[in-house]
Amino acid sequence: MDLDTIAAISTPLGEGAIAIVRLSGEGAIAIADKLYKSPSGKRLNEVESHTIHYGHIVDPSTDEVVEEVMISLMRGPRTFTREDVIEINCHGGLVTVNRVLQLTVKYGARLAEPGEFTKRAFLNGRIDLSQAEAVMDLIRAKTDRAMNVALGQMDGRLSKLVKRLRQEILETLAHVEVNIDYPEYDDVEEMTHQMLIEKATIVKNEINKLLQTSQQGKILREGLSTVIIGRPNVGKSSLLNSLVHENKAIVTDIPGTTRDVIEEYVNVRGVPLRLVDTAGIRETEDIVERIGVEKSRKVLKEADLILLVLNYHEELTLEDIQLIEVVKGMDTIFIVNKTDLSRKIDLEKIEQLAEDRPIVTTSLLEEKGIDELEEAIGSLFFEGNVQSSDLTYVSNSRHIALLTAANQSISDALDGIEAGIPIDIVQIDLTRCWEQLGEIIGDSVHESLIDQLFSQFCLGK
Ligand code: GDP
Ligand code: ZN
């Protein structure tokens, strides 16, 4: 495939100070060469692949030196996009980086669309769709654990599993063919029947195993929606502050944040907590007072985790009991705060009301009990054991939807086999399952879906 040369500013992960102008395409080296001046006079089209070169970017029309740079030159296909790639490392501010970018455009490159580099890697067969999506997840990852999941997916872990399952289905389909072609042989039919059930069950189990990771996967990817509630003065703001302090907030501007619910992320033991309505806690102290009873019920209902704060130094009040009533049946951690003061609360009563949900005592003033709280949060969502990072998680809603559909198809196939439905009808369900799994890795994906997926990427990736 011959594509034009694209250019964008792209900053490497974790390194804010350096900006890179990245070029990819047939003309990448020639365009860079027009702008590059080396102290020794060497030309970029003469140098070896995968080498780095010091020099200056000079505006050819004025001979003015624009920037001092290091240029990485990589010839395809051993590059991310499989095309020739140039990376111009600039150390100057945004203005000079922009000028370098403008010069590449003036001399033949086109400004890349968001995600276009990754799209090229996909189109040129370098990565499959689930890997491309992992690149996007990686950019947005909020904790190390989320990053590991994305890295695993980028590494092709999900792809490999999906391909293996598709292979199983293909083999099964091949046996179905035998059965259709030679229906007169009884033993073939018998074997096929057994084998169909066996293989389809394997596929179904594997799909289900993947789907079971989706809850955790989604949490890692999107954060655990968390609400702190409690009467005035029990220590909600103190709790929020200590969570944010100990774990530093990760993201401040989240697209789609509505005006009346403000969110902040903190990383607790690898679990990204999305703290909902923290502004409410900070400003008016009372979520119910601020957004009204109905709305706060709605916020609570949509929360994945509720941190309910109670006062160790006071008896349970009617308001406490009402709050406990509201969070009945929800994932809640009970935090009994102010243990540095004398106990007036009835802990046994709380244990009753908590109904097996975790209770943690804290003195936020003396910074005690915070570890235990974080432990409780971690184990609530990773069931006590630290999940090994090589588990394949599905976290992407597109993948989850496709796996759910594939699960339906394979279940239909199994039901059909067991009910003795004609084998060519079972074949339809198996084929559908095979196609749905294929969409995860981008086999037979519609063109417009591809455009839509890649437009979600950050610029320069
Ligand atoms: P909120 O109204 O629920 O947000 O409560 P705040 O976090 O604003 O705390 C109310 C008051 O209790 C403040 O004066 C805090 O300093 C104090 N406070 C918070 N945690 C503790 C604690 O563990 N022990 C003591 N003695 N005071 C605390
Ligand atoms: Zn407060």
Side-chain angles (χ1 to χ4, degrees), residues 231-239 241 280-286:
R231 283 190 287 121
N233 253 352
V234 291
K236 296 182 297 295
S237 312
S238 310
L239 173 63
N241 286 336
I281 295 168
R282 277 188 177 140
E283 284 157 20
T284 71
E285 302 293 323
D286 186 354

Side-chain angles (χ1 to χ4, degrees), residues 228 235-244 307 309 335 364 373:
I228 302 175
K236 296 182 297 295
S237 312
S238 310
L239 173 63
L240 176 67
N241 286 336
S242 77
L243 283 175
V244 172
L307 302 177
V309 188
I335 297 154
L364 293 169
L373 172 60

Side-chain angles (χ1 to χ4, degrees), residues 406-425:
N407 185 42
Q408 187 59 51
S409 303
I410 196 80
S411 303
D412 288 349
L414 261 170
D415 290 349
I417 300 162
E418 272 158 13
I421 280 177
I423 209 84
D424 46 345
I425 300 209

Side-chain angles (χ1 to χ4, degrees), residues 393-441:
Y393 287 101
V394 278
S395 57
N396 182 301
S397 6
R398 197 183 68 84
H399 301 170
I400 294 168
L402 285 166
L403 283 169
T404 307
N407 185 42
Q408 187 59 51
S409 303
I410 196 80
S411 303
D412 288 349
L414 261 170
D415 290 349
I417 300 162
E418 272 158 13
I421 280 177
I423 209 84
D424 46 345
I425 300 209
V426 172
Q427 196 179 20
I428 295 173
D429 288 324
L430 286 174
T431 308
R432 191 181 308 121
C433 183
W434 184 80
E435 284 169 354
Q436 285 155 337
L437 290 174
E439 278 189 44
I440 293 174
I441 52 177

Side-chain angles (χ1 to χ4, degrees), residues 317-330:
T317 68
L318 184 63
E319 212 183 333
D320 289 327
I321 305 272
Q322 282 170 340
L323 283 173
I324 294 172
E325 192 57 40
V326 170
V327 300
K328 210 171 162 69
M330 302 181 185

